[in-house]
Amino acid sequence: HLLLFLLFVGPFNCFASYSRATELFYSLNEGLPAGVLIGSLARDLRLSTAGGQRPAAPQPPLSFTLASRGLGGQYVQLDNRSGELHTSAVEIDREALCMESSGATVFGGAAAVSSSPSSESCLLLLDVLVLPQEYFRLVKVKIAIRDVNDNAPHFPVPHIRLSVPENAPVNTRLAIEHPALDPDVGTNGVQTYRLQDNYGVFTLDVEENESGERTPYLIVMGSLDRETREEYVTVIIAEDGGTPPLVGSATLTIGISDINDNCPQFSDSQLNVTLYGNSSLGTHVATVHAVDMDLGSNAQITYSYSQKVPQPSRDLFHLDESTGTITLSSKVDGDTPRLHRLIILGNGPGCIPAVITVLVTIIKVMMRPPEVVPRFIANEAEGVVYLKELEPINTPIAFFTIKDPDEKYKVNCYLDGDGPFRLSPYKPYNNEYLLETTKPLDYETQQLYEISVVAWNSEGFHVNRIIKVQVLDDNDNSPVFSQQLIELSIEENNVPNAFLTKLHATDADSGERGQVSYFLGPDAPSYFSLHKATGVLTVSTQLDREEKEKYRYTVKAVDSGFPPRESIATVTITVLDKNDNSPRFINKDFSFFVPENFPGFGEIGVISVTDADAGQNGWVALSVLNGSDIFVIDTGKGVLRAKVSLDREQQSSYVLWIEAVDGGDPALSSTAKITILLLDINDNPPLVLFPQSNMSYLLVLPSTLPGSPITEVYAVDKDTGMNAVIAYSIIGRRGPRPESFRIDPKTGNITLEESLMQNDYGLYRLLVKVSDHGYPEPLHSTVMVNLFVNDTVSNESYIESLLRKEPDISIEEKQPQISIEPAHKKMESASCMPTLVALSIISLGSIALVTGMGIYICLRKEKKHHRADENMEVQMPLNGRLNLHMLEKKPMEISNI
């Protein structure tokens, strides 16, 4: 456990020891970041600092400085006051620091680096001065740099070749040169080697010398045979001992070197040859050939006669010791034996010779053979005639003179061999023959012909004269493309200089005449390139299918003949689509105006969207991102529909987001904003909010002045625009003098028109029609306004009984007239109307009374809202009961006095 603790805290804690006050020793790992504490010189030297306990007498503060900054000083940071030593921003690399100075100490003023030859220890040496004079001393600081496994093994060369003789016995050990190197030391260095594939015949072993260097050895574990396999290729892997271990590798080629373990062998044991006695010197008799499976000098074979071959045979037949060719070296005469047994040895180094017997039978001839004497017309050299292809028919090649040297026998001749040649007598001469062509020669069909002019006499003796005809090439063939129409395809958005294809054209001509160069036709776009020599076709820029999908142009193949010949092929390139275009809406924002109460699943509008891609990549699916519980969209046609009928009074507008997703992989998408505005239709009649019941009534005092507001009818309409403009009218009246009350068609205010008399007491019932200005047909509601003219309400039950009776009211169908005027004019009309009414009633009164009435009316206008509140308290709900106790406590009156 202590070991594990030290391993954990080791890189961040340094241990100090010193044998005397002027030397300190620390250790730390390489590769630590800046600011790691190495040690405190003041503490480890047991010196009191400015921050420690103060002595009785004042002492000057301590100061710590490096004597000078040398090689090692760049790796540390010394606090001049506290004496703490930290790592600096320059990271310590043990391999770079110590391997360069291995085996020596390099001083740099007050800082140096020391490394032992074993590279196990690496020291950083510092000289620190402690001041002031009272504490002066020179401190030697040694910092041991510990190794970490931060380097992988590596071989000095990427390929290692090792040669093993094929007769190497099992357990043969061969040192592998260039072992792996690892700058780390100890267990972090190279520990083991292994083969990736040992082929069942190899393994590795590692030997360590006195200095600790490890050398890998290849061990042969099985028999080797170069003739079966001459090379093994594997990977050698070096692994260090770090945690985790790091590895390095190199290619190991094991070559099997040849040894002389095979001897020459003849394929036959005997060869039979016949030779005419009249053969000339140098005539080829036979050739023997032996084979040795070894290589190089081990396979070198020489030929020689066996000692059993008699000397006369040796003198008659010459044997080439290198090629094994036997030729006639002496003339055959009458004393020459007819049968010769030539025993020939095939000799290899260190081998028992192979043996073959050549039996030569000599046929003695008493006459001389016919003679064939050629005289060449065409170009000839060393028995080879050179003719250009496409030479015309009957091109003469040579004259042949056929004769018998003894002039005893008749000699005939004929042409033997295939080819467009003819040998015919050349008249008027008897022994002259002309060799000529019978049709044009074609180099591409056949380049070399071998024919024989055979002469024989009447005794049957034959003589062959072999003629070789070499056809010379001419530039008579144009290059031929392997395909006249080259159809290619490439995906759009290709990388620049993308490979398209390699054109191939052949030219049957030879030499320069058959060398083909490739060129683009004049109709090829400039961003296509064709390599002149290789025929590699590339495109230098990115292609965009949406910009152009098809390319068609020509290419040329031109040979190097003179004049040059060419052929043309057509290249078609189809740019394949990639999903590189998102669906695109015609507009980013769509707005639709729809009348409310539009039927469910009716067509609201069409969302137009396009995708520049093709096929599946251009197929677009539409969906509603929000509001999908109300709206649905037809994916194919883009028709937007509502599942239910829409009511403007519930919601006047909808904002939807439509997403378009294509069929690519991965799919691309875009969104558009859809605004649906509902147009109002007149589908709501006015709603009467006050009075709340047809059974409610209001007490009107008889003393109420004409022009005074009595109550109001208040209604609202959920529609908008003209559909919500409300007009009020009284369409039915019942009462003692029902025309005493009128209603304002705009405001619904009911006012008293005439003064109430004694005979006007009683219940007045006004049927009020509340109508809108909707199109095409206005809608309306009705409400009954009940006014009870009396001083008090003494019998509530009586009033209620009157209200329960069905009123006999005649309906007045009179359309209210409403003119839309500015608000300030309305206010002036409402303010002056009571004044005009009062002036008409008291027109015969005095000026003082008129003035007083005008002042009174102005005062009453200020209290208008207060009276309205009191009037609201007088309404009688249909199902409510009148609280008589409340009437007694708070009398309700309507009076202008």
Side-chain angles (χ1 to χ4, degrees):
H1 291 86
L2 178 59
L3 177 60
L4 290 175
F5 175 77
L6 292 177
L7 288 174
F8 179 75
V9 302
F12 304 103
N13 296 272
C14 304
F15 302 95
S17 63
Y18 59 94
S19 58
R20 61 183 183 274
T22 58
E23 184 173 324
L24 293 175
F25 178 77
Y26 301 99
S27 64
L28 76 161
N29 287 352
E30 63 173 324
L32 294 180
V36 176
L37 178 64
I38 300 174
S40 175
L41 273 62
R43 182 191 62 211
D44 297 336
L45 293 172
R46 297 187 180 92
L47 299 175
S48 61
T49 63
Q53 184 176 358
R54 294 182 179 275
Q59 298 291 333
L62 293 174
S63 174
F64 300 86
T65 56
L66 290 172
S68 64
R69 301 190 65 87
L71 176 61
Q74 60 179 325
Y75 298 105
V76 296
Q77 191 71 36
L78 178 62
D79 191 311
N80 294 336
R81 296 185 61 82
S82 65
E84 290 184 348
L85 198 63
H86 296 83
T87 56
S88 69
V90 181
E91 185 179 289
I92 298 177
D93 184 0
R94 184 185 183 281
E95 291 73 34
L97 185 65
C98 294
M99 291 304 178
E100 297 177 356
S101 56
S102 178
T105 300
V106 179
F107 291 96
V113 179
S114 175
S115 174
S116 66
S118 66
S119 296
E120 289 293 340
S121 70
C122 177
L123 296 179
L124 194 65
L125 306 180
L126 305 173
D127 289 343
V128 179
L129 297 176
V130 181
L131 297 174
Q133 190 66 31
E134 293 81 350
Y135 299 96
F136 175 76
R137 67 181 67 189
L138 177 64
V139 181
K140 297 286 187 178
V141 179
K142 297 181 179 180
I143 303 174
I145 310 302
R146 293 193 296 265
D147 182 50
V148 297
N149 191 28
D150 56 346
N151 292 279
H154 69 279
F155 288 87
V157 293
H159 295 85
I160 302 174
R161 185 168 185 86
L162 189 65
S163 180
V164 180
E166 62 178 325
N167 65 341
V170 177
N171 294 327
T172 297
R173 299 170 65 87
L174 299 166
I176 296 178
E177 297 181 1
H178 311 295
L181 305 175
D182 193 329
D184 297 325
V185 297
T187 58
N188 293 332
V190 178
Q191 299 296 315
T192 60
Y193 292 86
R194 67 177 185 273
L195 294 177
Q196 189 179 69
D197 186 0
N198 58 17
Y199 297 97
V201 293
F202 299 106
T203 188
L204 288 179
D205 190 17
V206 180
E207 290 186 3
E208 185 175 355
N209 58 17
E210 295 179 356
S211 62
E213 296 178 353
R214 295 174 179 267
T215 303
Y217 281 81
L218 181 71
I219 302 177
V220 179
M221 301 299 293
S223 59
L224 304 174
D225 185 7
R226 188 207 61 81
E227 287 72 34
T228 302
R229 183 164 186 169
E230 63 182 2
E231 188 177 75
Y232 297 86
V233 179
T234 184
V235 175
I236 181 172
I237 300 172
E239 183 175 308
D240 63 20
T243 304
L246 302 177
V247 299
S249 62
T251 301
L252 177 63
T253 301
I254 304 171
I256 308 303
S257 59
D258 184 54
I259 63 168
N260 192 26
D261 56 346
N262 291 280
C263 290
Q265 291 183 352
F266 289 104
S267 58
D268 298 315
S269 61
Q270 184 172 310
L271 183 64
N272 297 322
V273 179
T274 299
L275 181 68
Y276 288 102
N278 59 352
S279 298
S280 58
L281 296 179
T283 299
H284 177 267
V285 178
T287 298
V288 296
H289 181 68
V291 177
D292 193 323
M293 298 298 293
D294 292 326
L295 292 176
S297 61
N298 294 330
Q300 187 174 359
I301 300 174
T302 59
Y303 302 93
S304 63
Y305 284 125
S306 171
Q307 294 181 356
K308 296 180 180 180
V309 177
Q311 189 63 39
S313 296
R314 293 169 182 258
D315 296 337
L316 185 62
F317 300 103
H318 172 72
L319 174 64
D320 191 307
E321 64 176 6
S322 299
T323 63
T325 300
I326 303 172
T327 56
L328 184 65
S329 59
S330 298
K331 275 198 171 186
V332 178
D333 54 22
D335 298 330
T336 303
R338 298 184 58 188
L339 181 66
H340 296 266
R341 181 184 299 275
L342 306 178
I343 302 174
I344 299 175
L345 306 179
N347 305 294
C351 289
I352 298 174
V355 179
I356 187 173
T357 301
V358 178
L359 292 178
V360 181
T361 302
I362 298 178
I363 300 175
K364 292 188 177 181
V365 179
M366 300 304 296
M367 63 186 70
R368 290 187 294 173
E371 292 182 356
V372 178
V373 181
R375 288 170 294 170
F376 292 100
I377 302 172
N379 292 330
E380 181 268 342
E382 298 181 358
V384 179
V385 177
Y386 297 92
L387 290 178
K388 289 184 178 181
E389 64 174 333
L390 304 181
E391 288 281 358
I393 301 175
N394 300 327
T395 298
I397 299 174
F399 278 112
F400 288 91
T401 301
I402 309 299
K403 63 181 180 178
D404 181 17
D406 298 327
E407 298 182 353
K408 295 180 180 181
Y409 305 99
K410 182 180 179 180
V411 179
N412 295 315
C413 74
Y414 65 91
L415 187 65
D416 186 21
D418 296 329
F421 305 102
R422 176 177 58 214
L423 183 66
S424 58
Y426 190 74
K427 295 181 180 180
Y429 305 105
N430 293 328
N431 59 342
E432 296 289 340
Y433 291 84
L434 176 63
L435 179 64
E436 59 185 356
T437 62
T438 59
K439 63 181 181 179
L441 302 177
D442 187 3
Y443 175 86
E444 289 71 36
T445 302
Q446 187 170 345
Q447 294 86 35
L448 181 66
Y449 295 90
E450 188 171 306
I451 55 179
S452 297
V453 177
V454 181
W456 84 98
N457 58 21
S458 57
E459 296 298 320
F461 198 89
H462 291 75
V463 174
N464 292 342
R465 180 62 186 258
I466 297 175
I467 305 296
K468 292 182 179 180
V469 179
Q470 176 69 54
V471 181
L472 301 178
D473 187 30
D474 199 357
N475 192 30
D476 59 336
N477 291 278
S478 299
V480 177
F481 281 99
S482 56
Q483 294 175 282
Q484 286 299 314
L485 178 60
I486 304 163
E487 298 179 327
L488 307 174
S489 62
I490 184 174
E491 281 193 341
E492 63 175 331
N493 302 332
N494 54 282
V495 297
N497 299 318
F499 172 83
L500 292 175
T501 189
K502 183 176 182 180
L503 302 181
H504 181 65
T506 57
D507 193 316
D509 294 324
S510 64
E512 291 184 355
R513 292 172 290 273
Q515 293 180 359
V516 179
S517 300
Y518 301 90
F519 302 93
L520 290 172
D523 55 344
S526 60
Y527 39 84
F528 289 96
S529 299
L530 181 60
H531 194 278
K532 178 180 177 181
T534 63
V536 172
L537 181 63
T538 58
V539 56
S540 61
T541 185
Q542 284 190 346
L543 300 180
D544 186 357
R545 188 204 67 83
E546 289 72 37
E547 181 179 336
K548 189 171 183 180
E549 185 177 7
K550 296 279 188 180
Y551 294 88
R552 184 183 181 93
Y553 53 87
T554 57
V555 291
K556 295 191 300 182
V558 182
D559 64 22
S560 301
F562 182 80
R565 303 174 69 99
E566 67 179 39
S567 61
I568 296 176
T570 301
V571 176
T572 64
I573 300 174
T574 302
V575 183
L576 303 179
D577 184 53
K578 289 182 70 175
N579 193 26
D580 59 341
N581 289 278
S582 300
R584 183 175 181 181
F585 288 93
I586 300 301
N587 300 314
K588 289 191 177 290
D589 295 330
F590 291 83
S591 297
F592 297 106
F593 295 88
V594 181
E596 63 174 329
N597 302 331
F598 194 69
F601 292 98
E603 182 177 323
I604 295 175
V606 177
I607 310 300
S608 299
V609 62
T610 60
D611 194 314
D613 294 321
Q616 187 73 15
N617 294 331
W619 180 84
V620 179
L622 298 174
S623 61
V624 182
L625 295 179
N626 61 323
S628 58
D629 53 340
I630 300 178
F631 296 94
V632 65
I633 192 166
D634 186 339
T635 294
K637 298 180 180 180
V639 177
L640 181 65
R641 306 176 190 270
K643 299 180 183 177
V644 296
S645 180
L646 303 178
D647 187 359
R648 189 203 63 80
E649 285 70 39
Q650 292 183 1
Q651 187 169 341
S652 62
S653 65
Y654 296 86
V655 176
L656 305 179
W657 289 95
I658 303 297
E659 182 182 38
V661 181
D662 62 23
D665 184 19
L668 300 177
S669 64
S670 60
T671 57
K673 180 182 178 182
I674 312 297
T675 303
I676 302 173
L677 302 174
L678 298 183
L679 302 178
D680 184 52
I681 64 173
N682 195 25
D683 59 341
N684 292 281
L687 176 62
V688 179
L689 300 180
F690 181 82
Q692 296 180 352
S693 171
N694 289 336
M695 300 298 293
S696 62
Y697 66 94
L698 183 67
L699 178 63
V700 181
L701 296 178
S703 58
T704 303
L705 292 177
S708 299
I710 304 301
T711 184
E712 71 174 341
V713 176
Y714 180 69
V716 294
D717 195 316
K718 294 181 180 179
D719 295 324
T720 186
M722 293 302 295
N723 295 331
V725 176
I726 299 174
Y728 302 88
S729 62
I730 299 175
I731 62 174
R733 304 171 185 264
R734 183 177 176 79
R737 192 153 55 98
E739 64 274 2
S740 301
F741 299 96
R742 69 174 296 274
I743 189 168
D744 189 310
K746 295 182 180 179
T747 64
N749 291 332
I750 298 176
T751 58
L752 180 63
E753 288 292 303
E754 301 174 355
S755 299
L756 298 174
M757 304 301 180
Q758 186 68 30
N759 296 332
D760 296 336
Y761 284 34
L763 180 64
Y764 290 79
R765 306 195 77 176
L766 306 176
L767 181 59
V768 178
K769 179 181 179 182
V770 184
S771 175
D772 60 25
H773 282 63
Y775 178 84
E777 189 70 29
L779 301 178
H780 70 273
S781 301
T782 59
V783 66
M784 189 69 74
V785 178
N786 302 303
L787 303 176
F788 185 63
V789 178
N790 202 4
D791 293 324
T792 61
V793 179
S794 58
N795 191 346
E796 180 184 355
S797 59
Y798 171 71
I799 298 175
E800 291 179 354
S801 66
L802 293 177
L803 293 174
R804 282 193 291 270
K805 292 180 180 181
E806 186 69 29
D808 184 11
I809 300 176
S810 60
I811 305 300
E812 303 174 2
E813 288 296 336
K814 183 179 180 182
Q815 188 71 19
Q817 298 297 324
I818 300 178
S819 59
I820 307 302
E821 298 178 359
H824 67 279
K825 292 185 179 180
K826 177 181 177 183
M827 292 300 296
E828 291 174 0
S829 176
S831 301
C832 296
M833 185 60 68
T835 306
L836 294 175
V837 173
L839 291 176
S840 62
I841 295 174
I842 62 171
S843 59
L844 303 177
S846 63
I847 296 176
L849 181 58
V850 174
T851 304
M853 183 60 70
I855 296 173
Y856 175 77
I857 291 173
C858 292
L859 293 175
R860 290 296 293 173
K861 287 194 296 182
E862 295 178 358
K863 298 179 180 179
K864 183 177 179 180
H865 297 290
H866 180 66
R867 290 202 309 273
D869 295 337
E870 291 180 347
N871 291 338
M872 291 293 290
E873 294 178 337
V874 182
Q875 64 179 350
M876 297 298 177
L878 179 62
N879 298 325
R881 302 292 296 174
L882 186 61
N883 194 331
L884 299 177
H885 299 285
M886 293 298 295
L887 292 174
E888 292 175 356
K889 294 180 181 179
K890 186 177 182 182
M892 292 181 286
E893 298 179 353
I894 296 177
S895 174
N896 294 324
I897 301 175

